[in-house]
Amino acid sequence: MQLIIGWILRGGVAVSMAIVVIGGIFFIYRHGHSVTDFRTFKGTPDFISSPEKVFESALQLKGQAIIQLGIALLIATPVLRVVFAAIGFILEKDYLYTLISIIVLLIIIISMVTGHIG
């Protein structure tokens, strides 16, 4: 199980890094010649304001959306590790660590849903 968890972490980081690099290439290809005006603030573009729009925009090969997708995958990698750790502890019948893993997972989920840290 430890081997699988290690592969999940390494694979998640490698895949997310590749996605971010691909998104950066698309972004530079489309916007590499534009000049940035630092006197005016431009907020977050609308097409990366929600997960649904990020997926739609990534399918349209918008660089910022692809980068955002890669970062979301990078954030999801340790969460997936906790899920697989809980599954491993269940298979090993180690109920204390199963409970601890589920509590950690619940804390992560509640923090993501409510937006509170700690």
Side-chain angles (χ1 to χ4, degrees):
M1 189 51 108
Q2 294 297 327
L3 186 65
I4 294 171
I5 290 173
W7 279 106
I8 288 171
L9 290 174
R10 283 190 293 275
V13 170
V15 170
S16 63
M17 181 183 67
I19 291 172
V20 169
V21 167
I22 290 169
I25 291 169
F26 277 106
F27 183 78
I28 290 172
Y29 177 74
R30 289 191 178 163
H31 302 285
H33 301 295
S34 53
V35 178
T36 304
D37 182 16
F38 291 108
R39 291 175 288 181
T40 58
F41 176 73
K42 296 177 184 169
T44 305
D46 185 48
F47 62 88
I48 59 172
S49 61
S50 71
E52 299 85 19
K53 290 180 181 179
V54 169
F55 283 117
E56 290 174 14
S57 300
L59 291 175
Q60 296 170 1
L61 301 180
K62 291 187 177 181
Q64 286 177 309
I66 296 171
I67 293 169
Q68 191 83 355
L69 192 63
I71 292 171
L73 179 62
L74 183 65
I75 292 169
T77 299
V79 177
L80 190 61
R81 185 240 186 263
V82 174
V83 169
F84 272 90
I87 292 169
F89 292 135
I90 289 170
L91 294 175
E92 293 174 358
K93 295 183 170 65
D94 191 344
Y95 299 115
L96 176 63
Y97 284 107
T98 300
L99 179 66
I100 292 170
S101 296
I102 291 172
I103 289 172
V104 169
L105 193 59
L106 287 174
I107 290 170
I108 292 170
I109 292 170
I110 289 169
S111 297
M112 287 186 338
V113 170
T114 63
H116 290 83
I117 300 174

